[in-house]
Amino acid sequence: MSARVTGLLGFTLAVVVAGCGSSTSQEPRQTTQDGGAATVAITIQAPADGARLKARVIPGERLRARTRIRGRARPGSVVFLSAACRPEPCEAQPRAGVDGTWAASLTLRVPQSASFVTIDANAQRGVVAAGSAVATVELVGPGSGRATGAASSAGERRRTASASPRASPRAPSRAPSRRALPRDVLVIGDSLAVGMEPSLKAALSGWRVRLDGRIGRPLAEGMSILARQSSTPAILAFSLFTNDGPRNTGALEAAVRSSAMRPGGCAVWATVVRPPLDGVSYDTANAMLRQLANDPELALGLQLVDWAAEVGQSPSMLAGDGVHATATGYRVLGQLYAQAITACAGAG
């Protein structure tokens, strides 16, 4: 065989081997296929996160509100806008102008029994990722005693509230006397929820416990899952914010308040344990959660699991990565959540 033929066969073989290898260098990358659109930060400027919008009651006992949504994104990019309306999502695809601003109108529709709507703005359809934005609004029907058409004063409360004493980690705050709630709970969370699931279900024997957990789940995705529920139980529990930046406390407060202020409902949240991100600790977020647990406005609807305080007393319950728990830690975490859920129900 000539040297020329041998060289050609060697080149062909090399190409075939390279094409069958395990390297992922040739696979499409979500963050670069559209020139980086997936990683460019998108913002929702209006309505504000936590806003209460005046709504009309339409046949079928539903609330409906027409609202203008606007924000900023990479100039010229398409924003995939989706709101958790029911029974079908509300969607729009505005394009950002040369100045980066975008706007679209949506008609939000939800049952009166589930008046909160989560609005997502993403760089790709159905993909909640870094750079996505979320806002949770409340539709308020006629006759409601709450203020309508204006942003929540949560930010002002946060600026003026003084630090509250730390709650006892093993003794969730007891709600004032209330009608006992059904023993039915939906848990939405991240890897910590997945890890504590066996302990939680064992501690809540006789309860209906539904757990929707995913490793790496951020706050926005968790609240989107809540908004898509066709039937939401009175008691909700969340294990979220560990995968969010510590400065995103506005979105966290809006999520806590919206879940805890449902008429006849109760929500469980937990403080966050993880190393600082970009040099910023989660102390401010945890302090805010403790303040909310002592907010009289949320007295009937919020229970706090102070996981950070618990780990502070028993550091051995934390795994080496500083985020996840050991087997013992997950067992304790599940028990703490069970105590808070039981307190929510008025059954403990």
Side-chain angles (χ1 to χ4, degrees):
M1 183 179 294
S2 68
R4 180 174 182 274
V5 173
T6 302
L8 178 61
L9 287 176
F11 173 79
T12 303
L13 180 60
V15 171
V16 171
V17 171
C20 296
S22 60
S23 172
T24 59
S25 61
Q26 301 302 315
E27 295 179 359
R29 295 179 182 270
Q30 175 181 311
T31 58
T32 59
Q33 284 296 299
D34 58 357
T39 58
V40 173
I42 298 172
T43 64
I44 297 177
Q45 297 176 323
D49 194 23
R52 296 178 177 129
L53 307 179
K54 183 180 295 184
R56 293 192 303 133
V57 178
I58 60 176
E61 296 186 348
R62 294 183 179 276
L63 296 174
R64 180 173 66 186
R66 183 74 171 173
T67 186
R68 185 74 168 168
I69 304 169
R70 56 182 177 83
R72 298 188 65 85
R74 180 170 59 87
S77 64
V78 174
V79 176
F80 293 89
L81 195 62
S82 177
C85 304
R86 301 183 191 173
E88 298 295 333
C90 308
E91 297 181 343
Q93 295 180 26
R95 182 178 294 274
V98 293
D99 62 348
T101 61
W102 58 266
S105 294
L106 289 179
T107 301
L108 307 179
R109 302 178 303 275
V110 292
Q112 287 184 277
S113 59
S115 57
F116 292 97
V117 181
T118 299
I119 303 170
D120 291 296
N122 305 313
Q124 298 183 54
R125 183 191 297 275
V127 177
V128 178
S132 296
V134 63
T136 301
V137 299
E138 181 182 7
L139 304 191
V140 182
S144 171
R146 291 184 176 183
T148 61
S152 167
S153 59
E156 182 64 27
R157 284 192 296 268
R158 187 166 58 252
R159 288 190 294 270
T160 58
S162 58
S164 301
R166 187 172 69 184
S168 170
R170 287 196 176 273
S173 54
R174 302 292 295 183
S177 178
R178 66 177 300 165
R179 177 178 59 85
L181 299 178
R183 296 192 172 197
D184 181 7
V185 61
L186 170 63
V187 184
I188 299 175
D190 48 25
S191 57
L192 298 179
V194 175
M196 73 173 179
E197 181 174 8
S199 172
L200 177 67
K201 290 185 173 179
L204 293 177
S205 177
W207 282 64
R208 184 190 185 200
V209 179
R210 289 169 286 167
L211 190 145
D212 188 325
R214 185 183 74 79
I215 296 172
R217 175 172 286 160
L219 176 69
E221 181 184 311
M223 300 313 291
S224 295
I225 290 172
L226 173 62
R228 292 196 298 268
Q229 298 297 312
S230 58
S231 177
T232 306
I235 302 175
L236 301 170
F238 300 91
S239 174
L240 297 169
F241 204 70
T242 301
N243 296 296
D244 289 79
R247 293 188 176 92
N248 196 26
T249 53
L252 176 61
E253 180 172 359
V256 173
R257 287 189 178 277
S258 65
S259 63
M261 293 178 68
R262 297 169 302 129
C266 185
V268 175
W269 288 80
T271 52
V272 178
V273 175
R274 64 159 292 168
L277 182 64
D278 296 330
V280 181
S281 78
Y282 286 75
D283 292 347
T284 299
N286 288 337
M288 183 197 69
L289 288 168
R290 293 173 183 129
Q291 289 172 9
L292 292 175
N294 288 278
D295 187 334
E297 188 178 21
L298 304 179
L300 285 174
L302 178 62
Q303 291 288 324
L304 182 67
V305 172
D306 202 338
W307 177 233
E310 186 74 9
V311 170
Q313 294 177 4
S314 303
S316 62
M317 292 193 300
L318 203 61
D321 62 3
V323 177
H324 298 94
T326 62
T328 299
Y330 279 128
R331 184 169 62 252
V332 171
L333 183 61
Q335 292 169 351
L336 292 177
Y337 265 87
Q339 292 173 18
I341 290 168
T342 301
C344 264

